[in-house]
Amino acid sequence: MKRNIVIAAVTAAALIGGGTATALATTGDDGGSARQAADTRLANDDAQDDRDDDAERASSADVTASEAIASALKHTSGTVVSAELDDEDDGGKVVWTVDVLAGDDTWHSVDVDPASGRVLGSHTDDEDDTAQVRAALKGSSVTAEEAAKAAAGKGVVTSVDLDEDGEDRAWETETRKSGGAEQDWKIDLESGKVTADRSDDQD
């Protein structure tokens, strides 16, 4: 009789111990899942914060992309290859940075105040794709300024950049709407036709 009680007690202990181990294992799994979920939420929050910051920058700029380009060209003559509304050296100060290729193949980076359109400064850059840029723009009739104006009907233009690679050469622009939604567009170098850029969707 006593032996049966002892066996029953040992069996119960084994079941309880096994249950505890299972519970601990399950808790460990849940903890990992919770951490993964938290990490995903943080990544999504960071991405949303970036979108919100970009939208805030875009909405706070009084000077449009085409106006910034025009201002840069008054300061430095040449061909504008790109213009972007961004933080200056990640220091928090928002500027239009306009890249101009001069006639002597010198690259100039011109910073334009997004509130006044005044040129804040410029410096020369070393670029290794001058020949590609010249080849892409040869025979084109649409300038960066005109591309920015064409894309402005889609939202606030935050960047214009020449895509000189491959056969699909075009101006690439990014626009943002008041809700923060962004969209990429391609502007044909000859016709100025604006089409949605689906290449990012495929990546």
Side-chain angles (χ1 to χ4, degrees):
M1 182 72 174
K2 288 183 180 178
R3 191 178 62 172
N4 290 340
I5 293 172
V6 171
I7 292 172
V10 171
T11 304
L15 288 173
I16 291 170
T20 304
T22 303
L24 288 174
T26 303
T27 302
D29 289 343
D30 287 347
S33 298
R35 278 193 298 275
Q36 287 178 342
D39 290 344
T40 301
R41 280 196 300 273
L42 285 173
N44 290 340
D45 289 345
D46 288 344
Q48 183 60 48
D49 288 344
D50 289 343
R51 286 192 293 271
D52 292 343
D53 289 345
D54 290 343
E56 186 176 343
R57 283 198 294 267
S59 62
S60 65
D62 296 324
V63 176
T64 65
S66 58
E67 291 168 343
I69 290 169
S71 182
L73 286 174
K74 284 180 184 177
H75 179 272
T76 305
S77 61
T79 303
V80 170
V81 179
S82 71
E84 183 176 11
L85 184 64
D86 205 355
D87 293 346
E88 184 180 26
D89 298 328
D90 296 326
K93 183 178 180 181
V94 178
V95 296
W96 279 108
T97 300
V98 183
D99 292 330
V100 182
L101 176 57
D104 61 356
D105 287 349
T106 301
W107 288 86
H108 299 267
S109 184
V110 184
D111 290 337
V112 178
D113 189 328
S116 66
R118 184 172 58 90
V119 171
L120 301 173
S122 67
H123 62 272
T124 58
D125 277 333
D126 291 326
E127 300 287 349
D128 58 4
D129 60 347
T130 302
Q132 280 181 290
V133 168
R134 292 284 189 207
L137 291 174
K138 187 176 182 179
S140 68
S141 56
V142 178
T143 65
E145 184 177 356
E146 292 167 339
K149 287 179 180 177
K154 306 295 185 179
V156 177
V157 177
T158 57
S159 70
V160 180
D161 189 36
L162 177 66
D163 179 9
E164 74 275 12
D165 295 328
E167 297 180 1
D168 249 356
R169 297 172 179 175
W171 290 108
E172 292 182 337
T173 65
E174 183 179 276
T175 61
R176 293 192 180 274
K177 294 191 176 179
S178 56
E182 67 176 52
Q183 175 68 56
D184 294 326
W185 306 91
K186 283 186 176 288
I187 293 88
D188 189 275
L189 291 174
E190 295 181 11
S191 68
K193 181 181 178 182
V194 181
T195 56
D197 184 358
R198 302 296 181 194
S199 60
D200 286 346
D201 296 341
Q202 295 170 0
D203 290 344

